Amino acid sequence: NRQILLASRPFGAPDPDNFKLAVTDKPTAKQGEVLLRTVYLSLDPYMRGRMNDAKSYAEPVGLGEVMVGGAVCRVESSLNDDYKTGDWVVAFSGWQDYCISDGKDLLKLSDNLPYPSKALGILGMPGLTAYMGLLDIGQPKTGETVVVAAATGAVGSLVGQIAKIKGCNVIGIAGGAEKCEYAVNTLGFDHCLDHYADDFAEQLSAVATAGIDVYFENVGGKVFDAILPLLNSCARIPLCGLISQYNATELPEGPDRMAMLMGSLLVKRIKMQGFIVFDDYGHRYAEFSQQMSKWLMAGEIKDKEHLVTGLENAVDAFIGLLAGKNFGKVIVRVGPD
Ligand code: NDP
């Protein structure tokens, strides 16, 4: 049983030395438990926060503990009446080949899913995040302008496509020409801008001619600086993530923008609301799942997976995710079906 442990806490961007590969005996299930074999492991930006020894909405991973994470697993053996060998489940089982569960926190998937890994992306946590953040907090209306960054990623790609279904003008922001081209030509966004361009802020104001009504915040930093002056009165900001800051070790350079931010929120009556997806919207999973499956099956929404093969490659893939090297939802293929 291979496990990837947190070996030390990163200062800034994580590096491979912060992780350690350990090999233990394969665990065995006791009465009431199941033995799970990880098939697909999800890598997500929130894992960076769990590497810090800081209080947040969830406990940090302890030094020497297995890195946390959601996974799609097969039940390899079962002493629990609710599960049988071969069942597909979603488990919060972490970066490892095998784990034991008492079955309480598992989500059973149907037997004949064509692509079980989608339960970690479009039909799972990132999908729920995009759907609820945009529709419940963003409240987009036909004809409004919606902007989303990390636009080809797990969450952003879905936000933009749902906004198109709702009849909005959608502007994506992504890193590099290839991602931008994909957002427009494959995902159907109206525009997509490269945040690495020197004149990114000017380009944004040139395409957001009617201002911005909904900004789905995934990244923060200089992208938000460019967004703020373009927000319309009564704009909504679902505050989902701030990935540009996750590896930051100090406050950004330049003048303090807090007064400007608060002044804009006040004068323009902007609503900015953070959310933690399962805490706030876990109870609406069924509603989301039904709608998103329908869109997916009808070809109205597309998803893209960035598939990495082998648990041993999870560390590099995770470091790359924080640096924008992924193109789509990052999934690690850990074991065979
Ligand atoms: P993605 O698949 O979008 O991957 C992360 C992407 O972030 C990178 O590919 C990169 O895209 C972009 N990025 C990284 N650094 C920067 C930077 N400095 N400036 C601008 N963009 C950057 O990840 P997810 O879709 O899984 O997550 C997106 C956001 O949503 C994250 O902030 C995450 O923490 C948050 N989230 C929040 C949840 C909640 O409950 N609140 C739940 C799930 C996710 P590019 O190359 O295009 O710049």
Side-chain angles (χ1 to χ4, degrees), residues 45 129 150 153-155 174-175 179 195 218-219 240-241 244 246 275 277 321 324 326:
T129 303
V155 175
K179 289 184 178 181
H195 62 82
N218 275 334
V219 306
C240 175
S244 75
Y246 294 173
F275 66 105
V277 67
L321 166 68
N326 62 307

Side-chain angles (χ1 to χ4, degrees), residues 12-305:
D15 73 44
D17 290 343
N18 297 130
F19 303 86
K20 188 179 151 198
L21 179 70
V23 180
T24 64
D25 290 342
K26 188 163 146 182
T28 42
K30 296 199 289 287
Q31 200 50 43
E33 294 179 337
V34 289
L35 171 65
L36 301 177
R37 169 86 167 91
T38 310
V39 180
Y40 297 103
L41 168 68
S42 177
L43 295 182
D44 299 277
Y46 74 83
M47 294 166 174
R48 175 64 187 83
R50 302 286 174 93
M51 298 176 79
N52 293 338
D53 191 14
K55 196 164 161 44
S56 182
Y57 63 93
E59 287 294 308
V61 177
L63 290 178
E65 287 178 8
V66 178
M67 282 293 294
V68 289
V72 164
C73 304
R74 277 279 204 188
V75 174
E76 185 154 301
S77 61
S78 175
L79 294 173
N80 180 312
D81 292 343
D82 295 335
Y83 297 92
K84 59 178 188 321
T85 301
D87 280 348
W88 284 105
V89 295
V90 177
F92 199 67
S93 49
W95 300 25
Q96 56 185 339
D97 286 319
Y98 293 95
C99 92
I100 297 290
S101 165
D102 62 8
K104 288 200 183 106
D105 293 331
L106 302 180
L107 174 72
K108 205 191 274 194
L109 300 175
S110 70
D111 280 343
N112 47 5
L113 273 185
Y115 303 106
S117 60
K118 290 199 190 301
L120 300 173
I122 184 166
L123 299 178
M125 186 277 278
L128 182 66
T129 303
Y131 183 89
M132 287 299 167
L134 179 67
L135 297 181
D136 197 61
I137 302 175
Q139 306 262 336
K141 318 243 174 349
T142 306
E144 286 190 329
T145 296
V146 173
V147 181
V148 61
T152 62
V155 175
S157 62
L158 304 176
V159 168
Q161 292 180 89
I162 298 168
K164 281 312 302 175
I165 290 174
K166 298 292 170 189
C168 300
N169 174 40
V170 175
I171 303 171
I173 296 168
E178 193 191 359
K179 289 184 178 181
C180 287
E181 193 263 345
Y182 172 81
V184 172
N185 294 337
T186 305
L187 302 179
F189 292 15
D190 298 282
H191 304 275
C192 188
L193 306 174
D194 179 359
H195 62 82
Y196 294 120
D198 291 337
D199 62 345
F200 162 67
E202 290 77 24
Q203 286 188 32
L204 183 62
S205 77
V207 295
T209 46
I212 297 169
D213 301 295
V214 179
Y215 173 54
F216 192 101
E217 176 62 294
N218 275 334
V219 306
K222 74 177 173 69
V223 173
F224 187 75
D225 288 345
I227 295 282
L228 185 61
L230 302 175
L231 291 167
N232 288 333
S233 285
C234 300
R236 286 83 65 201
I237 307 177
L239 179 44
C240 175
L242 296 166
I243 194 168
S244 75
Q245 308 303 303
Y246 294 173
N247 287 330
T249 53
E250 53 190 30
L251 289 171
E253 278 177 29
D256 183 350
R257 272 93 102 205
M258 184 64 86
M260 194 167 66
L261 169 63
M262 293 182 76
S264 299
L265 296 184
L266 170 65
V267 175
K268 294 184 180 169
R269 286 93 91 207
I270 292 166
K271 181 174 143 191
M272 187 179 215
Q273 185 183 325
F275 66 105
I276 303 296
V277 67
F278 281 122
D279 293 6
D280 296 324
Y281 293 111
H283 63 291
R284 292 177 67 181
Y285 193 85
E287 164 196 340
F288 143 76
S289 172
Q290 209 178 18
Q291 177 62 77
M292 193 63 100
S293 304
K294 243 188 240 166
W295 282 332
L296 182 63
M297 256 131 58
E300 287 180 74
I301 288 200
K302 298 185 178 69
D303 69 322
K304 183 176 176 65
E305 288 185 352

